[in-house]
Amino acid sequence: MTDLDLTSRHLGQGLLAHPLGVNLGAVGLPGNLPRERDDGPFLDGLRRAVELGANLLDTADSYGAGRAERLVGRLLREYPDRTFLTSSKVGRIRGSAPHAYADRHIHHQLQQTLENLYAEELDLYTLDSWDFGPQDRYLGTAIDQMHTLREVGAIKAIGMQGPYTPAAATPAERAACAERFLHLFRLIRPNVLWTRCNALTPVITLEGEDLFAFTARHGVGVILAAPKAPGLRAGLTPSGAETVPGGLEELHTRFGDAPGTLTRLALLSGVQRAGHCATVVGFSSETQLEESFGTLSGPVLTAGELRTLDDAYARARAQMHPKPKERLPAGTGM
């Protein structure tokens, strides 16, 4: 194995990102919202991420009702000579508008986002919801606003949420998700997809391809969020050994049983997926960021090891959520 290539990933529209960036979603978690006086750990974490090479700063107007954006703004002022890739999202906060995408609401939210960031333009602006009102009433308005903002230089790239379903979703629900995504994708024509994705996320097929092949064919970049699946945050036994979720036992046999092995593999599998993908990790402390970025200092996974991971994850998903048994026709019991 060789060291991991940390060359910047090209996400489209001239956006170059370090393979691993940071997501500020934890700022909006319950318990963190009203305590702006306690921003220290988040700021220290951002500073540490910058020291470790991160340039992709991923936030949203809904993260802490703008608080996360203001934290990024404070960081940007501390590093005036550094180049960062700023990413924010719109579509969750309606305010006094009839809908989060109604009329010029996207434009108004962007102006506040730029004020929060102390910036004149935003690198990536993502439509954070597939809810465009009854019968997609505000979809055309949202598309027009986003494309106008890109044309006038207020944003560099248009983003949209990628397809995602919970692990317990049925095949029919996954198919419906794919259909809805493809419909919106063709109309919005995004430059980048922002999507939750981890090792145990059910695979959604898009025009016969997985997400990575589909986006590569369309020249669209990908930002992967939440790379550490809850099922991979294995606990420790009294002896200190890491417990292993069902279906992943062979990974400890192959890669060792040191604490944190499963989360390291999950993060690496996301970082190494494709040259047009970057991964963002959440944090609430410097220690968490150091653990995540420490993953990049180790050896890269080989193609064979990645296939081993994929096979193990597929078996784990099957064990966690087995397919429902087919019903026998009436009158054909044992």
Side-chain angles (χ1 to χ4, degrees):
M1 295 190 290
T2 60
D3 289 338
L4 184 62
D5 180 9
L6 297 183
T7 302
S8 293
R9 308 297 172 84
H10 184 225
L11 303 180
Q13 296 294 103
L15 304 183
L16 297 176
H18 184 279
L20 196 60
V22 291
N23 171 267
L24 274 290
V27 173
L29 294 178
N32 288 334
L33 270 174
R35 303 174 59 186
E36 296 206 22
R37 66 183 182 278
D38 294 333
D39 284 341
F42 287 108
L43 278 171
D44 290 342
L46 284 171
R47 295 176 184 123
R48 184 59 178 145
V50 171
E51 293 173 1
L52 294 169
N55 73 323
L56 172 53
L57 309 175
D58 180 50
T59 183
D61 60 6
S62 61
Y63 294 171
R67 177 183 166 205
E69 292 178 336
R70 291 189 289 275
L71 282 169
V72 173
R74 291 175 62 179
L75 180 82
L76 296 180
R77 295 199 303 277
E78 291 181 11
Y79 296 87
D81 298 325
R82 297 285 291 268
T83 299
F84 294 99
L85 195 164
T86 52
S87 165
S88 194
K89 309 174 193 69
V90 64
R92 303 286 181 181
I93 296 178
R94 190 185 74 180
S96 60
H99 190 275
Y101 292 137
D103 304 320
R104 289 174 55 81
H105 190 64
I106 292 176
H107 174 82
H108 295 154
Q109 288 299 109
L110 176 63
Q111 293 307 306
Q112 185 60 60
T113 288
L114 293 177
E115 285 188 33
N116 290 339
L117 295 173
Y118 292 88
E120 296 182 357
E121 65 177 3
L122 187 64
D123 292 302
L124 175 62
Y125 205 31
T126 296
L127 294 171
D128 201 23
S129 168
W130 290 1
D131 175 11
F132 294 93
Q135 289 78 52
D136 284 342
R137 175 180 177 182
Y138 300 107
L139 176 57
T141 300
I143 292 172
D144 289 344
Q145 288 188 79
M146 295 294 280
H147 282 264
T148 298
L149 290 171
R150 188 179 61 185
E151 289 168 6
V152 301
I155 64 175
K156 290 183 180 179
I158 296 171
M160 70 171 283
Q161 282 274 0
Y164 174 83
T165 59
T170 65
E173 289 170 334
R174 289 197 290 274
C177 176
E179 182 179 1
R180 173 66 171 165
F181 166 77
L182 290 170
H183 171 71
L184 295 174
F185 180 86
R186 294 177 185 123
L187 294 174
I188 296 169
R189 292 174 286 126
N191 306 114
V192 178
L193 294 186
W194 188 101
T195 187
R196 288 180 288 170
C197 183
N198 58 56
L200 301 182
T201 300
V203 175
I204 294 179
T205 301
L206 304 169
E207 297 179 342
E209 301 172 306
D210 65 19
L211 178 70
F212 305 101
F214 174 85
T215 49
R217 179 164 59 87
H218 286 276
V220 172
V222 179
I223 294 178
L224 303 176
K228 300 177 182 179
L232 297 178
R233 297 191 183 113
L236 300 180
T237 67
S239 64
E242 192 175 36
T243 60
V244 186
L248 300 182
E249 296 85 354
E250 68 179 86
L251 296 184
H252 269 177
T253 302
R254 177 76 180 269
F255 297 100
D257 59 359
T261 295
L262 296 183
T263 51
R264 179 181 68 85
L265 292 173
L267 187 55
L268 274 177
S269 70
V271 170
Q272 290 187 224
R273 280 298 159 190
H276 64 294
C277 299
T279 298
V280 291
V281 292
F283 71 97
S284 58
S285 69
E286 287 185 73
T287 300
Q288 290 177 336
L289 278 175
E290 289 172 349
E291 290 174 351
S292 295
F293 279 82
T295 298
L296 305 186
S297 64
V300 67
L301 297 173
T302 66
E305 288 171 333
L306 283 171
R307 285 193 295 271
T308 296
L309 287 179
D310 288 342
D311 291 344
Y313 295 148
R315 285 191 290 274
R317 288 193 296 268
Q319 288 189 27
M320 291 171 63
H321 302 283
K323 294 181 180 180
K325 295 180 180 180
E326 295 184 7
R327 285 188 175 183
L328 294 174
T332 60
M334 290 295 290

